[in-house]
Amino acid sequence: MTVSYRAATPADYEPLAAMARQSWIETFGHLYSEDDLNAFIGPVFGPDGLGRELSDPTLNLRLAEEDGRIAGFAKIGLVGLPGPLPAPATELKQLYVLKPWQGRGVAPALMDWALENARAAGARFVH
């Protein structure tokens, strides 16, 4: 199978939220109690978090898919980091890839997209 890439839309919320939760648990789940993990991933990947972000015009999300399944995603947007930062800049907010696709070029392809998109928007820096 071949991995394809496309812009995320609000209609992608359910499968993207499931993929993001799975990726977070695969990567960080062993570090937290179940209660703490759920307290974090619920708001971040819920309708008021990721669901709302899919309609936010200041954010840009790109999906990696294979055989109808979301393998990874990248999210970029306005810099929200505290402190003085060089401008103009874009922030790489998230880049997640599920384990079966790690090492297959998905993360570099998403990072290339993020950098190209930031440059096209006039950013000189990516944080």
Side-chain angles (χ1 to χ4, degrees):
M1 292 283 159
T2 302
V3 176
S4 60
Y5 299 87
R6 67 175 177 84
T9 70
D12 294 309
Y13 168 65
E14 292 288 335
L16 179 56
M19 176 268 159
R21 281 190 289 271
Q22 180 182 346
S23 180
W24 185 266
I25 291 167
E26 283 178 356
T27 306
F28 303 110
H30 67 284
L31 299 173
Y32 300 97
S33 71
E34 187 173 340
D35 288 343
D36 288 344
L37 189 63
N38 289 330
F40 174 77
I41 64 175
V44 171
F45 303 126
D48 291 334
L50 183 59
R52 189 184 67 235
E53 291 174 341
L54 285 164
S55 297
D56 185 336
T58 68
L59 296 173
N60 200 342
L61 286 87
R62 185 144 182 97
L63 304 181
E65 296 178 306
E66 185 175 53
D67 198 27
R69 185 169 175 211
I70 298 174
F73 79 99
K75 177 173 53 175
I76 60 173
L78 301 174
V79 177
L81 299 169
L85 298 168
T90 294
E91 182 178 346
L92 175 63
K93 305 226 179 240
Q94 292 172 311
L95 195 159
Y96 292 6
V97 178
L98 290 174
K99 287 189 187 252
W101 288 273
Q102 292 176 6
R104 293 185 47 200
V106 173
L110 289 170
M111 182 58 103
D112 288 347
W113 165 83
L115 294 172
E116 289 169 15
N117 193 284
R119 275 190 219 104
R124 292 184 39 222
F125 302 94
V126 176
H127 300 280

